[in-house]
Amino acid sequence: MGDIEAPNSNQPRQSILLSILPSKEFASSRKGMLLIAEVALSFVSFVCFAASTAVAFVTVPLLEFLAALFLLFAYSTKFNERFKGFLWPLMDFMRCVTASIIFFIISIIAVSKYVDGSSKAAGIFGFIATIVFALDFYLIFNELANFLKQGGESNDEPSRQQDECSDSDSD
């Protein structure tokens, strides 16, 4: 009789799982869809490289998978807004640029040099990942360029300027 659990005992597990997953708003946004695609393609490419004779290339998809997964978590939980010391768009831009270049190189090598099927599949998924990473860095570059054309002003700038000009000694 004491082994029967209360009907509400599954709710803490569900709330923990839902806190790990990205929010529906972020997952349906353009950045969310790109990051989910990057995570999925990097993981599939990692599995294909691990099962192929081109196992030497397994490091790149693994590192890109972990980096994209970290940024997916950071953006979906608004972790990036709490740490303003990091230049998140620049870090994301550099990750996408290096990932697209390196994925392109290892995909060409995997398709041309190795003959097994999983190496060819890893190369094809690598080419698709190259396109997704290139699209992401193109969109990030356009956002950064538009931000810099506007003079780099954000919503916080006027309040900072007023604070600097005030004669208050309360600081």
Side-chain angles (χ1 to χ4, degrees):
M1 299 259 178
D3 295 338
I4 299 174
E5 294 182 12
N8 294 333
S9 65
N10 288 335
Q11 287 186 358
R13 286 184 184 171
Q14 290 175 351
S15 65
I16 291 172
L17 182 62
L18 291 177
S19 68
I20 294 172
L21 295 174
S23 66
K24 194 172 202 173
E25 296 86 28
F26 181 73
S28 61
S29 70
R30 180 177 64 192
K31 183 64 177 174
M33 288 187 284
L34 282 171
L35 275 172
I36 290 170
E38 290 169 2
V39 167
L41 287 168
S42 295
F43 182 73
V44 170
S45 181
F46 166 72
V47 170
C48 289
F49 274 122
S52 71
T53 57
V55 76
F57 300 127
V58 78
T59 309
V60 173
L62 177 63
L63 289 177
E64 292 304 330
F65 167 73
L66 293 175
L69 191 65
F70 170 72
L71 283 177
L72 176 66
F73 175 75
Y75 284 137
S76 66
T77 60
K78 308 243 187 277
F79 183 73
N80 60 330
E81 293 176 2
R82 286 185 247 157
F83 291 98
K84 299 208 184 247
F86 291 113
L87 299 172
W88 291 94
L90 183 62
M91 186 171 59
D92 197 17
F93 177 76
M94 293 304 295
R95 177 190 63 87
C96 290
V97 168
T98 57
S100 63
I101 292 169
I102 295 172
F103 260 114
F104 185 68
I105 292 169
I106 67 169
S107 296
I108 288 175
I109 295 170
V111 169
S112 64
K113 187 176 178 184
Y114 297 95
V115 295
D116 60 322
S118 55
S119 294
K120 302 281 186 197
I124 298 300
F125 283 114
F127 283 129
I128 297 169
T130 299
I131 293 169
V132 172
F133 280 110
L135 177 64
D136 196 9
F137 85 72
Y138 173 75
L139 294 173
I140 294 169
F141 179 77
N142 282 340
E143 289 173 8
L144 286 174
N146 288 336
F147 177 73
L148 292 174
K149 282 182 186 176
Q150 295 172 357
E153 296 178 6
S154 67
N155 295 337
D156 295 337
E157 291 298 320
S159 64
R160 287 183 186 168
Q161 290 173 355
Q162 290 174 358
D163 289 343
E164 291 172 359
C165 296
S166 69
D167 291 334
S168 172
D169 291 330
S170 63
D171 292 339

